[in-house]
Amino acid sequence: MTSKSKAQLAPLPRTEILAYWVLSLGSHLYSFYQLHRFSKEHEAGLERGFQLEKGLVKGFKRDLSDFEWSFWTECAKKSLLWTLIGHGVISRLTSIFNPKLRVPALTIYGLLAASSVLGIKGVSVLLVHVGLSFSLAQLQKPALSWCCNLLLLSTLHIHPLQEIQRGWYKTEEEYYLLVFSVAVCGLRLISFSLEHCWSPADGGGAVQLGWLFSYTFYHPFFYNGPIISYRDYTEQMQRPAEECDGDTSGVIYLVLRSGRIILWWCLAEYMIHVMYMHSIQSNETYLEILPPWALGGLALALVQFFFVKYLVLFGFPSMLASMDQLVPPKLPRCVSIMYSFTGMWRHFDAGLYRWLIRYIYVPLGGSRHGLLYQMLSTGLAFGFVCLWHGGHDYLRYWALMNWTGVVVENTLKSVFASSYIHSIVERNVSPAMERRCIALLSAFSTAMLILSNLVFLGGIHVGRIFWKRVFIQGWSTIALPMLAFLYCFAQIGLEWTSRPP
């Protein structure tokens, strides 16, 4: 929400910043404690109606209602963790003994690993997509490439085709792996197609196809990302080894990063052992009877778990990519210091954000042609994200809320950046008070941001109940104290982002 650059942000007294830290941390811990108490008080009912199983720690239950965490945990146990480790071994061996064979070896390994998990039929689907996208890209018509790739992505939602593909697998989880692979592959194919249309690479068609195979089947990013562009992938994979050697040894880097990922995994598991937030959000009765502090704890726990989950899901692949001389997108930033819709999109999934900017927002005009083009470009970017995630009703509401939030923030930023308003503010408001006003505006933005995330994570019913309980029934008893705490969160976020890099 802030229209100030980092260098212009006014500092506040240390005691005031300390107070914001104490109130922020205290509200987090107390609301989590209240949610923990509610979880334990209703454990028997939650166990009967939802997916609570025996925990990893004696005396605790484990909430398995988060599909994504349970799904990827099981996949990691069965095969993915081991195939990722195998990728790391192949990469290291080829880098030591024959660096020129590293890219071909990783491509072949990625194709074989995908075949072992998805089967020949599943990989054949991807090969058909690759072939069609590559062929149309040779025409160098961006609009035609977009149409082709959107049609390929739409096949994920054709019911007869879904039933055929389900029949290839013994379990629903195996089919979902194919769905996720095709969806992420679609982003990579769009990236390749548009890069080729804009600036065809040197070399013949066989060389380009080889790099497309390498990019598509690069194993660490194959199933779930994070996303990097075709241009970045090819440039970074072709860098000479001496340009990529760091001062820190690879072994120390591997140990330290692995340790961090294990800690993140332990934190995520701890959260679903002591707070059954995913089971509670699935039942409207529990949402209606949650005490106010536990209700706030539920909202914070859901978004914080989402953050920690993606530290794990992106952390391990990013570590392997770094060892392959790639520069992966930055890992998600803590959601508790996010104070705007634009900041959330820029810093949570940085790879997807850059992809949307490069291939949708900028080509459509972005902010270069005025507010109307900016609104249109932003709207189409969110529309694509909604379609890519599945296009369900709750995703449409989520995309609309995010588009509205970004548009409002950009509009206010433009208004306050105008010379007339800026001069009035400079004459009448001190820099420190201006920062406090920014944090107050950001508190309202953060409230709507949390609400949109609850719709994304829990569905329309969760967002509706939170809106009713907080902003309609509890506008004086819940909403105002909540905004006060969100003001503290925003000040912490402003302080964090104002630090020198």
Side-chain angles (χ1 to χ4, degrees), residues 146 153 183-184 186-188 190-191 215 224-229 232 306 310 314 328-332 344-361 381-389 398 402 456:
W146 261 113
L153 281 173
V184 177
L187 297 184
R188 289 193 283 263
I190 292 171
S191 177
Y215 176 55
N224 195 43
I227 302 300
I228 63 173
S229 70
D232 290 342
F306 187 64
Y310 269 89
F314 284 173
K330 290 183 179 180
L331 294 179
M344 183 72 177
W345 278 95
R346 183 176 290 115
H347 298 297
F348 190 84
D349 190 343
L352 180 60
Y353 170 79
R354 288 204 295 263
W355 190 97
L356 292 170
I357 293 294
R358 179 163 179 80
Y359 301 117
I360 298 180
Y361 183 78
F382 281 120
F384 175 81
V385 173
C386 175
L387 173 67
W388 184 67
H389 278 90
W398 167 75
N402 277 267
F456 178 75

Side-chain angles (χ1 to χ4, degrees), residues 8 18 22 35 40 64 113 242 328 352 383 401 403 453 485:
Q8 296 173 311
L18 178 61
V22 171
L35 179 61
K40 291 302 178 182
L64 295 179
E242 58 267 21
L352 180 60
M401 292 172 72
W403 175 76
N453 286 334
F485 284 114

Side-chain angles (χ1 to χ4, degrees), residues 6-27:
K6 293 181 182 180
Q8 296 173 311
L9 190 63
L12 296 178
R14 290 186 178 183
T15 53
E16 184 176 347
I17 295 298
L18 178 61
Y20 293 143
W21 271 106
V22 171
L23 288 171
S24 297
L25 291 174
S27 61

Side-chain angles (χ1 to χ4, degrees), residues 148-197:
C148 171
N149 285 289
L150 287 176
L151 286 173
L152 291 175
L153 281 173
S154 70
T155 60
L156 292 173
H157 310 299
I158 299 176
H159 184 71
L161 189 57
Q162 290 176 336
E163 294 304 314
I164 292 172
Q165 292 174 349
R166 277 190 169 93
W168 299 344
Y169 302 104
K170 295 180 181 179
T171 64
E172 193 78 355
E173 287 74 18
E174 293 174 313
Y175 165 70
Y176 281 129
L177 265 180
L178 174 63
V179 172
F180 295 148
S181 303
V182 171
V184 177
C185 177
L187 297 184
R188 289 193 283 263
L189 293 179
I190 292 171
S191 177
F192 165 80
S193 299
L194 295 180
E195 295 291 351
H196 184 76
C197 291

Side-chain angles (χ1 to χ4, degrees), residues 92 157 220 227 231 442 461 481:
R92 192 64 180 166
H157 310 299
I227 302 300
R231 183 187 64 173
S442 298
H461 75 282

Side-chain angles (χ1 to χ4, degrees), residues 201-217:
D202 296 332
V207 174
Q208 296 173 19
L209 186 59
W211 275 110
L212 178 57
F213 268 89
S214 175
Y215 176 55
T216 302
F217 290 98

